[in-house]
Amino acid sequence: MKKKNNNSGDSATAGIEKENYLMIDPSLIVVENGFNVRMDFGDLEELMNSILENGIKRPLHGFEKDGRYILTDGERRFRAVQLALEKGKKIEKVPFMLEPKTVNEEDRTLGLILYNEGKPLTMLEQGEVIRRLMNLGWKMTTIVKRTAKGRGYL
């Protein structure tokens, strides 16, 4: 895959390790069913138009497995890219950030709440993330500390 090498000065990629930042063909990206807690992806048409006009400002995130890229963050953006492709628009490459090898299921699950910068998760969607963390053995006090959300909120 072609690495992007001109990310200096781009605030969306500031502080990113260049070897983990790729520009990849969207057809190589796989969405694992059931990972994302989002039930409502919002207005994908509007997001598609923004991506076509401005590009993807925040890279998609995930990990590489058997020559494919498993998406762990950015499904809404990815769906908007797919919509554009279905409408005949040309998008050859999308920015993709490889996760460090040390990231595990707990980190990815927690990231659903911590790193969501787009359309906010609903209370029900956030509740699903909390349920998953508890199923992974997390105590409520740990969830409160790690998410910076008050106990009453959770």
Side-chain angles (χ1 to χ4, degrees):
M1 297 314 104
K2 184 179 175 186
K3 292 182 183 179
K4 186 172 180 178
N5 57 13
N6 62 345
N7 65 358
S8 61
D10 183 351
S11 62
T13 58
I16 291 175
E17 296 178 35
K18 290 181 184 179
E19 63 270 11
N20 292 343
Y21 185 80
L22 309 172
M23 293 297 292
I24 63 172
D25 181 334
S27 69
L28 297 175
I29 298 173
V30 176
V31 175
E32 287 189 332
N33 288 332
F35 174 73
N36 194 343
V37 296
R38 190 174 299 284
M39 296 172 207
D40 175 14
F41 287 90
D43 187 351
L44 292 176
E45 186 93 20
E46 180 180 343
L47 181 56
M48 176 198 72
N49 290 330
S50 174
I51 288 171
L52 290 172
E53 186 173 323
N54 305 306
I56 295 177
K57 296 300 181 190
R58 185 171 178 272
L60 306 174
H61 286 227
F63 59 95
E64 190 271 332
K65 181 179 176 182
D66 301 325
R68 307 288 279 178
Y69 294 89
I70 311 302
L71 187 69
T72 60
D73 178 42
E75 186 173 349
R76 222 176 141 250
R77 283 167 278 151
F78 181 62
R79 284 180 179 229
V81 166
Q82 289 179 310
L83 180 61
L85 293 170
E86 288 168 11
K87 292 182 175 244
K89 305 297 183 189
K90 187 175 178 180
I91 300 176
E92 294 178 1
K93 305 277 183 184
V94 295
F96 194 92
M97 176 60 70
L98 286 174
E99 296 175 340
K101 302 254 186 247
T102 57
V103 173
N104 59 29
E105 183 181 359
E106 290 180 13
D107 295 330
R108 287 186 189 107
T109 302
L110 182 61
L112 290 168
I113 288 180
L114 292 183
Y115 307 121
N116 180 35
E117 294 179 0
K119 181 181 180 295
L121 294 175
T122 66
M123 293 299 285
L124 186 61
E125 293 163 344
Q126 290 180 52
E128 174 59 20
V129 174
I130 292 161
R131 185 192 66 76
R132 287 182 189 181
L133 290 170
M134 292 179 81
N135 286 344
L136 289 167
W138 285 41
K139 302 267 187 250
M140 187 56 74
T141 53
T142 303
I143 296 171
V144 168
K145 287 178 189 174
R146 295 288 307 273
T147 62
K149 303 221 183 265
R151 190 174 186 86
Y153 180 84
L154 301 176

